[in-house]
Amino acid sequence: MHTVEPLQNTDGEPSPSVLQQEDQTKGEALRFEIMRLNDVDGTAVDTTVVDAASVNRIVQQAASIGQRIYIRPAETTAS
């Protein structure tokens, strides 16, 4: 099993700059689609779109219970 360590400050806390990036071209906060995956076949069970600041919390929750998730940038809508 592959483990990914979060980027951390010298105090061991996740770096807030990683979680609070903004899309500089539009001035909007980045949003991510997070899919919870079926343990057997890896198909998406449900999907949610969250802001960058929420990603770390969701990843930590999933890791604590061994839940498989897939994260990708959310598609933006044309304005």
Side-chain angles (χ1 to χ4, degrees):
M1 174 178 269
H2 179 70
T3 303
V4 177
E5 295 295 325
L7 295 176
Q8 297 180 339
N9 292 328
T10 56
D11 62 1
E13 293 297 316
S15 173
S17 63
V18 172
L19 300 176
Q20 297 187 13
Q21 296 176 16
E22 289 189 1
D23 182 342
Q24 298 300 317
T25 60
K26 297 181 184 175
E28 298 174 2
L30 290 175
R31 300 193 49 83
F32 293 88
E33 179 179 20
I34 300 178
M35 290 172 267
R36 186 167 51 100
L37 304 177
N38 179 292
D39 288 336
V40 176
D41 62 8
T43 59
V45 175
D46 61 20
T47 301
T48 188
V49 176
V50 298
D51 61 0
S54 299
V55 173
N56 186 50
R57 177 182 51 82
I58 292 170
V59 168
Q60 294 299 324
Q61 288 174 345
S64 71
I65 61 172
Q67 185 177 61
R68 294 171 56 190
I69 58 175
Y70 177 76
I71 303 170
R72 65 181 178 192
E75 292 185 16
T76 58
T77 57
S79 47

